[in-house]
Amino acid sequence: MDLDRICGPDFSEIALKAALNQGQVDKLLSLIARIAQGDTHITLKNEADLHMALDNAAAELTPFTKHDITVYARPIWDWALDLLDNPLLAPHFIWDAQHVYKQNGTNFERLFSEPWTADRWWDIQSRLLADLNGAPLCFILYADKTKLSTHGTVKGYPVMGIGGGRVVGWLPIIEEEASEHGKLGFINFKRVVWHESFVKILLNLEQYSRTGYSYTCYDKIMRWLFPVILILSADYEEQCMMSLIHGVQCKHPCPVCLVPLNKLSDLSKTFTIRTVKDAQDALVVYRRSKTQGEELLKSLGLRAVENVLWLIKHSNPHDALSLDQLHTVHGSLGGKHLLEELKTIISNLRREEMESVKKQVAEFPRWRDLNHFATVIHITFTDGNKKRDLVLQSFYAALNALDCRGCPEGYRLLHVICSYLELDSLLGLDVHMEWTIAMIEDELLVFGATLKDYVDYVTDTSSMEGLKKDWNFPKAHLWKHAPRDIQMKGVARNYSTRPNEKLHSPLKTAYLLQSNGKDVAAQVLRIDHHKFATLLLQERLDTLDEQCRLEVLGNSAVDEDNDHAITFDGHVKLGSPQRPVSIQELENIHKHRYLRVNYENSVNWKQLTDHLRANPSFHGHPHFDCALIQLTADRTFFVQLILMFKCELPDIGAFQFALVQPYTASVVGGSCRIDRDLRLTRVKAVPRADSITIPLKSFI
């Protein structure tokens, strides 16, 4: 029987209606083939059987509980116990704080990376009773509203537990009627609802944060675990909710310190850090005298609401809140304010200069994980990742158009963006040393000084219209706390919202493709719960299969694993081979368009892989990467790839080479003013005819 001829049309119809992607289609066809061959059997007869099986599997996981104020909560304490009981995850828990040092040639210097290498974990564990073998059980929580429907009319408010990547709560969204807009009572009411809802997620944490919880860990050591909210990952709006400050226009709009509203852009000054005691004392005064209390709370920029995070010991919300690089830096300060300011200045240039900037952006070199754009002026995004890339490309594209004489506003703004990019690069490091933190502190002063110079010129001298004169907004200030965040909680990726926002995508998919639009939270959370139940089952099956495979292989297992490893020639590996050609005595010359280069990352000392291409049409565009090569023991320089090939010499062997265009030509006039002012290194390519052939092993 021809199964394809009989079932093909039905399968095609189902796949198209369900909008299955390539991977899903391949996996489903593979399953059908195994069933047809008798290798696999399926007992499910309909959707009801599937739901029953998923519900049975989900019973092993902590479920959601619906509360009277329509908040769904999976108490994070129970969720944490699920993780501790998972034999695949339990070995990877870190219990003790660490101070890690690296020898720099003369002395040892401390480094900061994961949360347990920073000060906050260390300080908390130091306060626990040593004779109890106490250890903090640290949580990272992320909360943010998201649009579930395409038009944004249906919203959700998930709370994520980072580490397991689970939805641990679904908070209510209080719709604001026109008659209540801006009213203090209604605004405070929304804060009360948020905190009374959030406390459902924190069930049992208050008690165990004080008494501890006796638990025998995977390493067979009994510890007293003390739950701690170590990090709160959120954008500024959510940080205001978590810290209960008034927000943008209050006297002190920073959730971490007491910087005045009119000093937000002044990064040269340091202000008092907020404390829980100050907030609690202000509420005591408020309960005794509403008039005096309101005045005191107003002076602190706080609302008259109890913060449920105060219930959890060692969980000061002002210490847990951290810099959100995605929204604060990329989405707002850089991608909104600096970029819009640059657009305004470019739009005031002569037409040919504007076209030059547009052309430079369109021709910006393409490389891995970089968004590309056709223009800079008439383009808008809400995605902070795209804004980050556009600021970077616009800076280099504008260098030739904005000089100190022809456009002093633009030239001063380039100084600001230069410092911004320097800071952004430093903040993105995966490992920080004490000296890199000092670099951030110094560069913050540079940014503040260049911004002040720009604002002073725009305010007092410039006649150009539409430029921003007031830069006293919270997101111009928040990265002032980046050095403190790194020292307290490790590098920025530990509290970044960038990976956390990606967790919204499965929830949106569940709403759009698997719900009927009614009782949205219950349906979406049930689907999410079932997905994790299937993952749990699959992990156990995969582990069992792997154990059986290793038992069969015995001592040959290690050798088999090595056979499947990608073979590199030294630290390089050619890919994307083209049709071979022959030239005289040379046989089988293979052109290649792709090269992988393994190298040691100088930031975290781990092996990483660079992906280089020399392709005349990669996704419809020419893609010829640049690279750094080691020509001799003491000479390195940049080159652009032209061609990569492998040739075989009879009776000798195979050799791998690249034809490259070196960037070693002398720059006429040497370093110019813009290079010195903007800390640029200028390189120039030699004529194409002077290209050289080098061994692939020369690539660093």
Side-chain angles (χ1 to χ4, degrees), residues 533-603:
T534 58
L535 284 175
L536 179 65
L537 292 177
Q538 189 62 53
E539 286 174 351
R540 292 179 178 177
L541 289 173
D542 291 344
T543 302
L544 181 62
D545 289 344
E546 181 65 12
Q547 290 173 346
C548 294
R549 186 182 74 87
L550 293 176
E551 288 176 2
V552 171
L553 291 173
N555 294 332
S556 64
V558 175
D559 295 334
E560 187 198 61
D561 289 342
N562 290 335
D563 291 341
H564 288 84
I566 297 175
T567 303
F568 276 70
D569 183 6
H571 69 291
V572 295
K573 168 69 176 176
L574 279 169
S576 188
Q578 305 301 297
R579 186 171 298 176
V581 296
S582 297
I583 302 175
Q584 296 179 357
E585 292 83 7
L586 301 179
E587 297 181 1
N588 294 329
I589 297 179
H590 292 267
K591 292 173 59 178
H592 291 262
R593 294 179 174 177
Y594 172 57
L595 178 69
R596 276 180 284 192
V597 182
N598 286 340
Y599 66 96
E600 182 185 279
N601 188 321
S602 60
V603 175

Coordinates of all heavy atoms in Angstrom, one line a residue, residues 533-603:
A533 N 5.6 19.4 31.6 CA 5.5 18.0 32.0 C 6.0 17.1 30.9 O 6.7 16.1 31.2 CB 4.0 17.7 32.2
T534 N 5.8 17.4 29.6 CA 6.3 16.6 28.5 C 7.8 16.7 28.5 O 8.5 15.7 28.2 CB 5.7 17.0 27.2 OG1 6.0 18.4 27.0 CG2 4.2 16.8 27.2
L535 N 8.4 17.9 28.8 CA 9.8 18.0 28.8 C 10.4 17.1 29.9 O 11.5 16.5 29.8 CB 10.2 19.5 29.1 CG 10.1 20.4 27.9 CD1 10.4 21.9 28.4 CD2 11.0 20.0 26.8
L536 N 9.7 17.1 31.1 CA 10.2 16.3 32.2 C 10.2 14.8 31.8 O 11.2 14.1 32.0 CB 9.3 16.5 33.4 CG 9.6 15.6 34.7 CD1 11.0 16.0 35.2 CD2 8.5 15.8 35.7
L537 N 9.2 14.3 31.1 CA 9.1 12.9 30.7 C 10.2 12.7 29.7 O 10.9 11.6 29.7 CB 7.7 12.6 30.1 CG 6.6 12.6 31.1 CD1 5.3 12.4 30.3 CD2 6.8 11.5 32.1
Q538 N 10.4 13.6 28.7 CA 11.4 13.4 27.7 C 12.8 13.3 28.2 O 13.6 12.5 27.8 CB 11.3 14.5 26.6 CG 12.1 14.3 25.4 CD 11.7 13.0 24.6 OE1 10.5 12.8 24.3 NE2 12.6 12.1 24.4
E539 N 13.1 14.2 29.2 CA 14.4 14.2 29.9 C 14.7 12.9 30.5 O 15.8 12.3 30.4 CB 14.5 15.3 30.9 CG 14.6 16.7 30.3 CD 14.5 17.8 31.4 OE1 14.2 17.4 32.6 OE2 14.8 19.0 31.1
R540 N 13.7 12.3 31.2 CA 13.8 11.0 31.8 C 14.1 9.9 30.8 O 14.9 9.0 31.0 CB 12.6 10.7 32.7 CG 12.5 11.6 33.9 CD 11.3 11.3 34.8 NE 11.3 12.2 35.9 CZ 10.3 12.2 36.8 NH1 9.2 11.3 36.7 NH2 10.3 13.0 37.8
L541 N 13.3 9.9 29.7 CA 13.5 8.9 28.7 C 14.9 9.0 28.0 O 15.5 8.0 27.8 CB 12.4 9.1 27.6 CG 11.0 8.7 28.0 CD1 10.0 9.0 26.9 CD2 10.9 7.2 28.3
D542 N 15.3 10.3 27.8 CA 16.6 10.5 27.1 C 17.7 10.0 28.1 O 18.7 9.4 27.6 CB 16.8 12.0 26.8 CG 15.9 12.5 25.7 OD1 15.4 11.6 25.0 OD2 15.8 13.7 25.6
T543 N 17.6 10.3 29.4 CA 18.6 9.8 30.3 C 18.6 8.3 30.4 O 19.7 7.7 30.4 CB 18.2 10.4 31.7 OG1 18.2 11.8 31.7 CG2 19.3 10.0 32.8
L544 N 17.4 7.7 30.4 CA 17.4 6.2 30.4 C 18.0 5.6 29.1 O 18.8 4.7 29.2 CB 15.9 5.8 30.5 CG 15.7 4.2 30.6 CD1 16.4 3.6 31.8 CD2 14.2 3.9 30.6
D545 N 17.7 6.2 28.0 CA 18.3 5.8 26.7 C 19.8 5.9 26.7 O 20.5 5.0 26.3 CB 17.7 6.5 25.5 CG 16.3 6.2 25.3 OD1 15.8 5.2 25.8 OD2 15.6 7.0 24.6
E546 N 20.3 7.0 27.2 CA 21.7 7.2 27.3 C 22.4 6.3 28.2 O 23.5 5.7 27.9 CB 22.0 8.7 27.7 CG 23.5 9.1 27.8 CD 24.2 9.1 26.5 OE1 23.5 9.0 25.4 OE2 25.4 9.2 26.4
Q547 N 21.8 6.0 29.4 CA 22.4 5.0 30.3 C 22.4 3.6 29.6 O 23.4 2.9 29.8 CB 21.5 4.9 31.6 CG 21.7 6.2 32.4 CD 20.7 6.2 33.6 OE1 19.8 5.4 33.7 NE2 21.0 7.1 34.6
C548 N 21.4 3.2 28.9 CA 21.4 1.9 28.2 C 22.4 1.9 27.1 O 23.1 0.9 27.0 CB 20.0 1.7 27.6 SG 18.7 1.4 28.9
R549 N 22.6 3.0 26.4 CA 23.6 3.0 25.3 C 25.0 2.9 25.9 O 25.8 2.1 25.3 CB 23.5 4.3 24.6 CG 24.4 4.5 23.4 CD 24.2 5.8 22.7 NE 24.9 6.8 23.5 CZ 26.2 7.2 23.3 NH1 26.9 6.5 22.5 NH2 26.7 8.1 24.1
L550 N 25.3 3.5 27.0 CA 26.6 3.5 27.6 C 26.9 2.1 28.2 O 28.0 1.6 28.1 CB 26.7 4.5 28.7 CG 26.7 6.0 28.2 CD1 26.8 6.9 29.4 CD2 27.9 6.3 27.3
E551 N 25.8 1.4 28.7 CA 26.0 0.1 29.2 C 26.4 -0.9 28.1 O 27.2 -1.8 28.3 CB 24.8 -0.4 30.0 CG 24.5 0.3 31.3 CD 23.2 -0.1 31.9 OE1 22.5 -1.0 31.4 OE2 22.9 0.4 33.0
V552 N 25.7 -0.7 27.0 CA 26.0 -1.6 25.8 C 27.4 -1.4 25.3 O 28.2 -2.3 25.0 CB 25.0 -1.4 24.7 CG1 25.4 -2.1 23.4 CG2 23.6 -1.8 25.2
L553 N 27.8 -0.1 25.2 CA 29.1 0.2 24.6 C 30.3 -0.1 25.5 O 31.4 -0.4 25.1 CB 29.2 1.7 24.2 CG 28.3 2.2 23.1 CD1 28.3 3.7 23.0 CD2 28.7 1.6 21.8
G554 N 30.1 0.1 26.8 CA 31.1 -0.2 27.8 C 32.3 0.7 27.6 O 32.1 2.0 27.5
N555 N 33.5 0.2 27.5 CA 34.7 1.0 27.4 C 34.8 1.7 26.1 O 35.6 2.6 26.0 CB 35.9 0.2 27.7 CG 36.0 -0.4 29.1 OD1 35.4 0.3 30.0 ND2 36.6 -1.5 29.3
S556 N 34.1 1.3 25.1 CA 34.2 1.9 23.8 C 33.4 3.2 23.6 O 33.5 3.9 22.6 CB 33.8 1.0 22.7 OG 32.4 0.6 22.8
A557 N 32.7 3.6 24.7 CA 31.8 4.8 24.6 C 32.6 6.0 24.4 O 32.2 6.9 23.6 CB 31.0 4.9 25.9
V558 N 33.7 6.2 25.1 CA 34.6 7.4 24.9 C 35.1 7.5 23.5 O 35.0 8.6 22.9 CB 35.7 7.4 25.9 CG1 36.6 8.6 25.7 CG2 35.2 7.3 27.3
D559 N 35.5 6.4 22.9 CA 36.0 6.4 21.5 C 34.9 6.8 20.5 O 35.2 7.5 19.6 CB 36.6 5.1 21.1 CG 37.8 4.7 22.0 OD1 38.5 5.7 22.5 OD2 38.1 3.5 22.2
E560 N 33.7 6.3 20.8 CA 32.6 6.6 19.8 C 32.3 8.1 19.9 O 32.0 8.7 18.9 CB 31.4 5.8 20.2 CG 30.3 5.9 19.1 CD 28.9 5.5 19.6 OE1 28.5 6.1 20.6 OE2 28.3 4.6 19.1
D561 N 32.3 8.7 21.1 CA 32.0 10.1 21.2 C 33.0 10.9 20.5 O 32.7 11.9 19.8 CB 32.0 10.5 22.7 CG 30.7 10.0 23.4 OD1 29.8 9.6 22.7 OD2 30.8 9.9 24.7
N562 N 34.3 10.5 20.5 CA 35.3 11.3 19.8 C 35.1 11.2 18.3 O 35.5 12.1 17.6 CB 36.7 10.7 20.2 CG 37.1 11.1 21.6 OD1 36.5 12.1 22.2 ND2 37.9 10.3 22.2
D563 N 34.6 10.0 17.8 CA 34.4 9.9 16.4 C 33.4 10.9 15.8 O 33.4 11.3 14.7 CB 33.9 8.5 16.0 CG 35.0 7.4 16.3 OD1 36.1 7.8 16.3 OD2 34.6 6.2 16.4
H564 N 32.4 11.3 16.7 CA 31.4 12.3 16.2 C 31.8 13.7 16.4 O 31.1 14.6 16.0 CB 30.1 12.0 17.0 CG 29.4 10.8 16.6 ND1 29.7 9.5 17.1 CD2 28.4 10.5 15.7 CE1 28.9 8.6 16.6 NE2 28.1 9.2 15.8
A565 N 33.0 14.0 17.0 CA 33.4 15.3 17.2 C 33.8 16.0 15.8 O 34.3 15.3 14.9 CB 34.6 15.4 18.2
I566 N 33.6 17.3 15.7 CA 34.0 18.0 14.5 C 35.6 18.1 14.5 O 36.2 18.5 15.5 CB 33.4 19.4 14.5 CG1 31.9 19.3 14.4 CG2 33.9 20.2 13.3 CD1 31.2 20.6 14.5
T567 N 36.2 17.7 13.4 CA 37.6 17.6 13.3 C 38.1 19.0 12.8 O 37.8 19.4 11.7 CB 38.0 16.5 12.3 OG1 37.5 15.3 12.7 CG2 39.6 16.4 12.2
F568 N 39.0 19.6 13.6 CA 39.6 20.9 13.2 C 41.0 20.6 12.8 O 41.7 19.7 13.4 CB 39.6 21.8 14.4 CG 38.3 22.6 14.5 CD1 37.1 22.0 14.9 CD2 38.2 24.0 14.3 CE1 35.9 22.6 15.1 CE2 37.0 24.7 14.4 CZ 35.9 24.0 14.8
D569 N 41.5 21.4 11.9 CA 43.0 21.4 11.6 C 43.6 22.4 12.5 O 43.6 23.6 12.1 CB 43.2 21.7 10.1 CG 44.7 21.6 9.7 OD1 45.5 21.2 10.6 OD2 45.0 21.9 8.6
G570 N 44.1 22.0 13.6 CA 44.6 23.0 14.6 C 43.4 23.7 15.2 O 42.6 23.0 15.9
H571 N 43.3 25.0 15.0 CA 42.1 25.7 15.6 C 41.2 26.2 14.5 O 40.3 27.0 14.7 CB 42.6 26.9 16.4 CG 43.3 28.0 15.6 ND1 44.5 27.8 15.0 CD2 42.9 29.2 15.4 CE1 44.8 28.9 14.4 NE2 43.8 29.8 14.6
V572 N 41.3 25.7 13.2 CA 40.5 26.2 12.1 C 39.8 25.0 11.4 O 40.3 23.9 11.5 CB 41.3 27.0 11.1 CG1 41.8 28.3 11.7 CG2 42.4 26.1 10.5
K573 N 38.6 25.3 10.8 CA 37.9 24.2 10.1 C 37.2 24.9 8.9 O 36.3 25.8 9.1 CB 36.9 23.6 11.1 CG 35.8 22.7 10.4 CD 36.4 21.4 9.9 CE 35.3 20.5 9.3 NZ 35.9 19.3 8.7
L574 N 37.5 24.4 7.7 CA 36.9 24.9 6.5 C 35.5 24.3 6.4 O 35.2 23.2 6.8 CB 37.7 24.6 5.3 CG 38.9 25.5 5.0 CD1 39.8 24.9 3.9 CD2 38.4 26.9 4.6
G575 N 34.6 25.1 5.7 CA 33.2 24.6 5.5 C 32.7 25.2 4.1 O 33.4 26.0 3.5
S576 N 31.5 24.8 3.8 CA 30.9 25.3 2.5 C 31.8 25.1 1.3 O 32.1 26.0 0.6 CB 30.5 26.8 2.6 OG 29.7 27.2 1.5
P577 N 32.2 23.8 1.0 CA 33.1 23.6 -0.1 C 32.4 23.8 -1.4 O 31.2 23.6 -1.6 CB 33.5 22.1 0.1 CG 32.3 21.5 0.8 CD 31.8 22.6 1.7
Q578 N 33.1 24.3 -2.5 CA 32.6 24.5 -3.8 C 33.2 23.3 -4.7 O 34.0 22.5 -4.3 CB 33.0 25.8 -4.3 CG 32.6 27.0 -3.4 CD 31.1 27.1 -3.2 OE1 30.4 27.3 -4.1 NE2 30.7 26.9 -1.9
R579 N 32.7 23.3 -6.0 CA 33.2 22.3 -6.9 C 34.7 22.4 -7.1 O 35.2 23.5 -7.3 CB 32.5 22.5 -8.2 CG 32.7 21.4 -9.2 CD 31.8 21.5 -10.4 NE 30.4 21.3 -10.0 CZ 29.3 21.5 -10.8 NH1 29.5 21.8 -12.1 NH2 28.1 21.3 -10.3
P580 N 35.4 21.2 -7.0 CA 36.9 21.3 -7.2 C 37.3 21.6 -8.6 O 36.6 21.3 -9.6 CB 37.3 19.9 -6.8 CG 36.1 19.0 -7.1 CD 34.9 19.9 -6.8
V581 N 38.5 22.2 -8.7 CA 39.1 22.5 -10.0 C 40.6 22.1 -9.9 O 41.1 21.8 -8.9 CB 39.1 24.1 -10.3 CG1 37.7 24.5 -10.5 CG2 39.8 24.9 -9.2
S582 N 41.2 22.0 -11.1 CA 42.6 21.5 -11.2 C 43.4 22.6 -12.0 O 42.9 23.1 -13.0 CB 42.8 20.2 -11.8 OG 42.1 19.2 -11.0
I583 N 44.7 22.9 -11.5 CA 45.5 23.8 -12.2 C 46.9 23.2 -12.3 O 47.6 23.0 -11.3 CB 45.6 25.2 -11.5 CG1 44.2 25.8 -11.3 CG2 46.5 26.1 -12.2 CD1 44.2 27.0 -10.5
Q584 N 47.3 22.9 -13.5 CA 48.7 22.3 -13.8 C 48.9 21.1 -12.8 O 48.2 20.2 -12.8 CB 49.7 23.4 -13.7 CG 49.6 24.4 -14.8 CD 50.6 25.5 -14.7 OE1 51.5 25.5 -13.8 NE2 50.6 26.5 -15.6
E585 N 50.0 21.2 -12.0 CA 50.4 20.1 -11.2 C 49.5 20.0 -9.9 O 49.5 19.0 -9.2 CB 51.9 20.3 -10.7 CG 52.9 20.1 -11.8 CD 53.1 21.4 -12.5 OE1 52.5 22.4 -12.1 OE2 53.8 21.4 -13.6
L586 N 48.7 21.1 -9.6 CA 47.9 21.1 -8.5 C 46.6 20.3 -8.8 O 46.0 20.5 -9.8 CB 47.6 22.5 -8.0 CG 48.7 23.4 -7.7 CD1 48.2 24.7 -7.3 CD2 49.6 22.8 -6.5
E587 N 46.3 19.4 -7.9 CA 45.0 18.6 -8.1 C 44.0 18.9 -7.0 O 44.4 19.2 -5.9 CB 45.4 17.1 -8.1 CG 46.3 16.7 -9.3 CD 46.6 15.2 -9.2 OE1 46.0 14.5 -8.3 OE2 47.3 14.8 -10.1
N588 N 42.8 18.8 -7.4 CA 41.7 19.0 -6.4 C 41.8 20.2 -5.6 O 42.0 20.2 -4.4 CB 41.6 17.7 -5.5 CG 41.2 16.5 -6.3 OD1 40.5 16.6 -7.3 ND2 41.7 15.4 -5.9
I589 N 41.8 21.4 -6.2 CA 41.7 22.6 -5.5 C 40.3 22.9 -5.1 O 39.4 23.1 -6.0 CB 42.3 23.8 -6.3 CG1 43.8 23.5 -6.6 CG2 42.1 25.1 -5.5 CD1 44.4 24.6 -7.5
H590 N 40.0 23.0 -3.8 CA 38.6 23.2 -3.3 C 38.5 24.6 -2.8 O 39.2 25.0 -1.8 CB 38.3 22.2 -2.2 CG 38.2 20.7 -2.7 ND1 37.0 20.2 -3.1 CD2 39.1 19.8 -2.8 CE1 37.2 18.9 -3.4 NE2 38.5 18.7 -3.3
K591 N 37.6 25.4 -3.4 CA 37.3 26.7 -2.8 C 36.3 26.5 -1.7 O 35.4 25.6 -1.7 CB 36.7 27.6 -3.9 CG 37.7 28.0 -5.0 CD 36.9 28.8 -6.1 CE 36.2 30.0 -5.6 NZ 35.6 30.8 -6.6
H592 N 36.4 27.3 -0.6 CA 35.5 27.2 0.5 C 35.0 28.6 0.8 O 35.7 29.6 0.6 CB 36.2 26.7 1.7 CG 36.5 25.2 1.6 ND1 35.7 24.2 2.1 CD2 37.6 24.6 1.0 CE1 36.3 23.0 1.9 NE2 37.4 23.2 1.2
R593 N 33.8 28.7 1.3 CA 33.2 30.0 1.6 C 32.9 30.2 3.1 O 32.3 31.3 3.5 CB 31.9 30.2 0.8 CG 32.1 30.2 -0.7 CD 30.8 30.4 -1.5 NE 31.0 30.6 -2.9 CZ 30.1 30.6 -3.8 NH1 28.8 30.5 -3.4 NH2 30.4 30.8 -5.1
Y594 N 33.4 29.3 3.9 CA 33.1 29.4 5.3 C 34.2 28.8 6.1 O 34.8 27.8 5.7 CB 31.8 28.6 5.6 CG 31.4 28.4 7.0 CD1 31.2 29.5 7.9 CD2 31.2 27.2 7.6 CE1 30.9 29.4 9.2 CE2 30.9 27.0 8.9 CZ 30.7 28.1 9.7 OH 30.3 27.9 11.0
L595 N 34.5 29.5 7.2 CA 35.6 29.1 8.1 C 35.3 29.3 9.5 O 34.8 30.3 9.9 CB 36.9 29.9 7.8 CG 38.1 29.6 8.6 CD1 38.7 28.2 8.3 CD2 39.2 30.7 8.4
R596 N 35.5 28.2 10.3 CA 35.3 28.3 11.8 C 36.7 28.4 12.4 O 37.6 27.6 12.1 CB 34.6 27.1 12.3 CG 33.1 27.2 12.2 CD 32.4 26.0 12.8 NE 32.5 24.9 11.8 CZ 31.7 23.8 11.9 NH1 30.9 23.6 13.0 NH2 31.9 22.8 11.0
V597 N 36.8 29.3 13.3 CA 38.1 29.6 14.0 C 37.9 29.5 15.5 O 37.1 30.3 16.1 CB 38.7 30.9 13.6 CG1 40.1 31.1 14.3 CG2 38.9 31.1 12.1
N598 N 38.5 28.5 16.1 CA 38.5 28.4 17.6 C 39.5 29.4 18.2 O 40.7 29.4 17.7 CB 38.7 27.0 18.1 CG 37.5 26.1 17.8 OD1 36.4 26.6 17.7 ND2 37.7 24.8 17.8
Y599 N 39.2 30.1 19.2 CA 40.1 31.0 19.9 C 39.8 31.1 21.4 O 38.7 30.8 21.8 CB 40.1 32.3 19.2 CG 38.8 33.1 19.4 CD1 38.6 34.0 20.4 CD2 37.7 32.8 18.6 CE1 37.5 34.7 20.6 CE2 36.5 33.5 18.8 CZ 36.4 34.4 19.8 OH 35.2 35.1 20.0
E600 N 40.8 31.5 22.1 CA 40.6 31.7 23.6 C 40.0 33.2 23.8 O 40.7 34.1 23.4 CB 41.8 31.5 24.4 CG 41.6 31.7 25.9 CD 42.9 31.6 26.7 OE1 43.4 30.5 26.9 OE2 43.5 32.7 27.0
N601 N 38.9 33.3 24.4 CA 38.3 34.6 24.7 C 39.1 35.2 25.8 O 39.3 34.7 26.9 CB 36.8 34.4 25.2 CG 36.1 35.7 25.3 OD1 36.7 36.7 25.8 ND2 34.8 35.7 24.9
S602 N 39.6 36.4 25.5 CA 40.5 37.1 26.5 C 39.7 37.7 27.7 O 40.2 38.2 28.6 CB 41.2 38.3 25.8 OG 40.3 39.2 25.2
V603 N 38.3 37.6 27.6 CA 37.5 38.1 28.7 C 37.2 37.0 29.7 O 37.4 37.2 30.9 CB 36.1 38.7 28.1 CG1 35.2 39.1 29.3 CG2 36.3 39.8 27.2

